[in-house]
Amino acid sequence: EAGVAQSPRYKIIEKRQSVAFWCNPISGHATLYWYQQILGQGPKLLIQFQNNGVVDDSQLPKDRFSAERLKGVDSTLKIQPAKLEDSAVYLCASSSIRRWANEKLFFGSGTQLSVL
Amino acid sequence: RKEVEQDPGPFNVPEGATVAFNCTYSNSASQSFFWYRQDCRKEPKLLMSVYSSGNEDGRFTAQLNRASQYISLLIRDSKLSDSATYLCVVNMKGNNDMRFGAGTRLTVKP
């Protein structure tokens, strides 16, 4: 079974530039998450999709971050414009849809973003 | 209060030691709980789910106390390969809204 695919693996940009990250979840997984992990901290949930609908985006800085999952499969996370404090690893995860279930999250390898 | 709060660590223990990590969560309606392990520069991976009656997987024991909104992970007979960061994860609202704690770093030394 193929895992969660993310690209790029690394990205270096200057502040105020734009950047986009891509994620393809495990086939059949309806739920997709984007997490931001700053060095030394735990992953912070940015946005959760179920199919192509947003379940939770309460911690997404909407003035600069946007995410979409138009066809309910792959997803793109964008930052525009980037700030120095956006330097982090951006992790995509997916899980299957069952509610109230102890569902395992499958993570991609992440995109390490450095904003200079 | 943070949604999910863990022991700050780090924990440095000798091989063979028993070590315990604690985690508290803020939402009493939270439905499911997990421990994930994250190796340096790697993605988190599920270590074990935490069930109401407590559960054991080899050297690892997880417990849940709903009244105190508290989860624990016990590692017995620590191995060098147990060195990692252990993340407490809570399904906060029952819709698979998975929130992570800050993690507790464990180093097992020879």
Side-chain angles (χ1 to χ4, degrees), chain A residues 24-78:
Chain A
N24 192 20
I26 290 173
S27 178
H29 278 191
T31 308
L32 184 148
Y33 307 81
W34 283 103
Y35 287 89
Q36 178 194 58
Q37 188 171 26
I38 294 172
L39 188 64
Q41 299 181 19
K44 172 187 170 184
L45 179 65
L46 293 176
I47 189 166
Q48 177 192 354
F49 291 97
Q50 187 161 298
N51 297 309
N52 60 349
V54 175
V55 175
D56 188 329
D57 64 355
S58 58
Q59 299 189 103
L60 185 74
K62 297 180 185 65
D63 57 335
R64 299 184 300 106
F65 286 64
S66 63
E68 59 184 16
R69 193 184 184 199
L70 294 175
K71 296 182 180 179
V73 180
D74 57 349
S75 176
T76 303
L77 176 70
K78 295 180 182 177

Side-chain angles (χ1 to χ4, degrees), chain B residues 8 14 36 40 47 51 79 82 86 94-95 98 104 110:
Chain B
Y36 276 69
C40 188
L47 177 66
Y51 300 115
K79 311 290 184 191
D82 294 335
Y86 291 84
N95 58 352
M98 302 294 196
T104 301

Side-chain angles (χ1 to χ4, degrees), chain A residues 74-86:
Chain A
D74 57 349
S75 176
T76 303
L77 176 70
K78 295 180 182 177
I79 308 175
Q80 182 179 8
K83 293 185 175 181
L84 296 177
E85 59 260 36
D86 298 333

Side-chain angles (χ1 to χ4, degrees), chain B residues 27-97:
Chain B
N27 186 352
S28 60
S30 298
Q31 291 295 320
S32 49
F33 312 89
F34 311 85
W35 284 100
Y36 276 69
R37 170 191 169 130
Q38 187 172 28
D39 292 297
C40 188
R41 300 185 185 278
K42 298 287 188 182
E43 70 274 18
K45 293 185 179 178
L46 180 66
L47 177 66
M48 59 196 303
S49 301
V50 186
Y51 300 115
S52 295
S53 55
N55 48 298
E56 190 173 304
D57 182 2
R59 299 180 293 107
F60 298 84
T61 301
Q63 293 196 314
L64 168 64
N65 183 325
R66 285 189 185 274
S68 301
Q69 294 177 212
Y70 168 96
I71 306 156
S72 66
L73 176 68
L74 183 77
I75 305 176
R76 291 183 300 279
D77 188 22
S78 299
K79 311 290 184 191
L80 296 177
S81 57
D82 294 335
S83 296
T85 296
Y86 291 84
L87 296 158
C88 175
V89 183
V90 177
N91 181 352
M92 293 296 290
K93 303 171 189 172
N95 58 352
N96 291 331
D97 177 9

